[in-house]
Amino acid sequence: MKAFIAEFIGVFALVFAGVGAIHVTEGGELTAVALAHGLAIALMILAVGHASGGHFNPAVTFGMLITGNIKLGPAIGYWVSQFLGGLAAAALLAGLYGSEAVAKGTPAVGLGFSAPQGLVAEIVLTFFLVLVIFATALHHKLPVAAFAIGLTIVMDIMAGGAISGAAMNPARVLAPAIIGGSWADHWIYWVGPLVGAAIAAIFYTQIYMVDEKEEAKLPVDLTSDRPSS
């Protein structure tokens, strides 16, 4: 239950900060919007990530499921909690700013770009995000993992925000879409993040997990207190 509450809070913060920043800046300050999303995730990982692993994204949970780092039962609980957290934040924002503000904060394919371009952007951007999560938080367990993940979100939004909104997260899109009623090219924000996360998960299993298995097979140096390298 603690993990589900943590996932609820994490996505709540992401949607509240992200959509709120878009409304306050009228969508004209990409850097501010990128920082709002990135800081929300980084800070929530630090605050409650210890309780759940700090997924805060159905695509991340999907990647963890593929790599065997979470079982299907808990994964379903994570997904429900994530979507409910986003929905609660979107509903609160609608009460504060109105449903139109929530609709404007719903990611959409940018003017001059096609749905296929938006799909490719979501795949690539989510791949970057999930790969950094696997590398920094799961594999190396770096103390700065939270900020590395947050900065990846900032990078992704600044690079791809004009193309697809750089959602990388189905919960970030579904909740505002329900409250704000904006469903344009909605399928992109499911297919893109899930495919991107799956590619990152496969990359992780073939690179990082293979390295771990190879290291486990190394002979022990009897003249040292640690395995030889």
Side-chain angles (χ1 to χ4, degrees), residues 38-104:
L39 285 171
I41 289 298
L43 296 174
M44 288 304 103
I45 290 174
L46 292 174
V48 297
H50 65 282
S52 67
H55 295 192
F56 309 148
N57 184 337
V60 173
T61 303
F62 182 62
M64 294 292 179
L65 181 64
I66 291 174
T67 57
N69 287 288
I70 191 172
K71 301 298 183 182
L72 180 59
I76 293 174
Y78 272 45
W79 288 327
V80 172
S81 300
Q82 290 159 359
F83 289 125
L84 289 177
L87 191 61
L92 177 59
L93 285 166
L96 294 173
Y97 296 129
S99 59
E100 290 185 2
V102 177
K104 291 179 181 178

Side-chain angles (χ1 to χ4, degrees), residues 4 14 55 66 72 99 121 126 136 140 158 177 192 196 212:
F4 299 153
L14 174 66
H55 295 192
I66 291 174
L72 180 59
S99 59
T126 307
T136 63
H140 295 298
M158 294 182 72
E212 288 178 353

